[in-house]
Amino acid sequence: MSLDTPRYLSELFLNIRGRSIAWDAHVRAGLITDSDVKKIKAIDKVLKEKQISVVEKDVDGYATLVLGPEGALRKATDGKRVDVVAYMLVLLGDLLKGVPAFTDSLLSLPKPFAHLLSLLSHTDESTPLLSASVLTTLLTAYLKSSERPSSDARDALPKLYHFFAGLTKSPDGHLQDIAIQSYVSLLRSTFARTTFWDMEGETVVPIVKILETAAAGNGSGGDRVTGVTGGTGIVQGGVGLQLLYHVLLVIWELTFEESVAEEINPKYDVIPPITEILRSSLKEKITRLALATLANLATKSPSTNLPPLLLSNILPYLQQLSSRFTSSSDPDLTADLSSLIEALDTFQSSQTTLSSYRLEILSGHLRWSPPHRNEGFWKRHAREIMDDTELVKALARVLSSSTDKTVLAVAANDVGVLVREAPGSRKKWEEQGVKSRVMELMGDSDAEVRYEALKAVQGFLAHAFS
């Protein structure tokens, strides 16, 4: 998986490469040696092919020059020469991408990540971003080749995640996308994914917020997410399409870990926004990633994720979508579609009407599905529902905590019907604070909520002495 460098960083790199450095003055000041300057000038502002050729002949020498204990980057940092620090970081990034042997040589240096980590808190605005970019490339290469991360890597990765987590909370979509793209590069090993998940309060919460913004529509106030193109490119739900794509990539990568696939929806309720994004997808690449993520969730932890997937009513859309693609034209997408449809079909066929109703209530995502207005359903199952303590508490909890008007109307309807069909239930509802809550909802701003709450209160009054 290869991603283009974020435009903001590309422009910064280009600007720094074009600057002139007064190397002779720095030699006189003792900041760098004359021999080091000769090595730098041999690869400065030359064709890429020549730069690679020169460095390949002396990878260890260039690695020591740039990042060694007495290297130019450390001396420039100590000498507070921000221009040289920026230049050396951009040079580092260029050589890491162009010369694989140079990467290996850097990683063989003592504590190769330490100085770069210290630059994440540099007071210059661009230095932390440049250092984080180099660290991402270096750590990604290291984790790819190492089955057992060293203590240095175990120390470095959480610190880098912490830095990027700060960027994801920024209102600037450019900075958000730098962080999210860096996550995508890093999350290619189990160690990287489990470390990320261990820091979920910092790392996962902001990306879920972006996901929810894209699903819900345009943000508002301080929660609005700026598009990565400065608001002039394609957006979905107020989120730049590229930023959304990279967020989905992160979640998709995470769900390859069974523990994450099992926990992410119960903790963060990601299935509703992902299914909504899938339905309203503006680009095939968004469709593809949303499907791949849902397929991972369904296969890695079916018992946890199939119930909310079924409740999202995504199955009819998936069946409709399957007619648009063939296995010959798009084998990966059709494979994800087929596995999802088959899993949901099988799960749906195993559900009774009552079990489906129970799943809906426990999920908290109530809608006007068939059971709610089916008199036969209530006559058959009202007493059974009232004997299910977990279900009763869940319905009461939804009624007390939800702000969704449809959820409140459906919950009030169900309470009213249950009071009528199981008159002895009145006391249970009162103990849960439900009677006072539906009385309060009689004054709600939504007409449907007021109507359903009024019917429920009438039910309580009709059975006041039962």
Side-chain angles (χ1 to χ4, degrees), residues 261-279:
E262 183 178 353
E263 296 175 16
I264 192 168
N265 192 67
K267 286 185 175 181
Y268 298 105
D269 206 21
V270 295
I271 286 176
I274 293 174
T275 54
E276 183 56 38
I277 287 166
L278 177 59
R279 286 188 181 97

Side-chain angles (χ1 to χ4, degrees), residues 233-255:
I234 300 174
V235 297
Q236 180 161 336
V239 175
L241 205 63
Q242 280 298 102
L243 177 58
L244 174 59
Y245 175 68
H246 296 142
V247 165
L248 286 170
L249 268 174
V250 169
I251 297 173
W252 172 70
E253 287 179 309
L254 288 173
T255 56

Side-chain angles (χ1 to χ4, degrees), residues 354-405:
L354 179 58
S355 61
S356 296
Y357 173 80
R358 191 174 194 277
L359 286 174
E360 182 180 348
I361 301 302
L362 294 179
S363 76
H365 298 291
L366 280 62
R367 290 295 180 264
W368 287 113
S369 54
H372 299 287
R373 285 174 168 158
N374 186 318
E375 289 295 324
F377 170 80
W378 294 114
K379 290 186 182 299
R380 288 192 303 273
H381 299 298
R383 294 188 183 278
E384 191 175 351
I385 289 170
M386 291 311 304
D387 288 338
D388 188 335
T389 302
E390 183 184 15
L391 193 54
V392 170
K393 287 182 177 179
L395 188 53
R397 184 169 56 251
V398 166
L399 200 58
S400 66
S401 61
S402 180
T403 56
D404 185 301
K405 300 302 183 183

Side-chain angles (χ1 to χ4, degrees), residues 316-327:
Y317 179 76
L318 296 177
Q319 291 165 334
Q320 174 191 341
L321 195 61
S322 65
S323 65
R324 289 168 43 191
F325 301 96
T326 64
S327 56

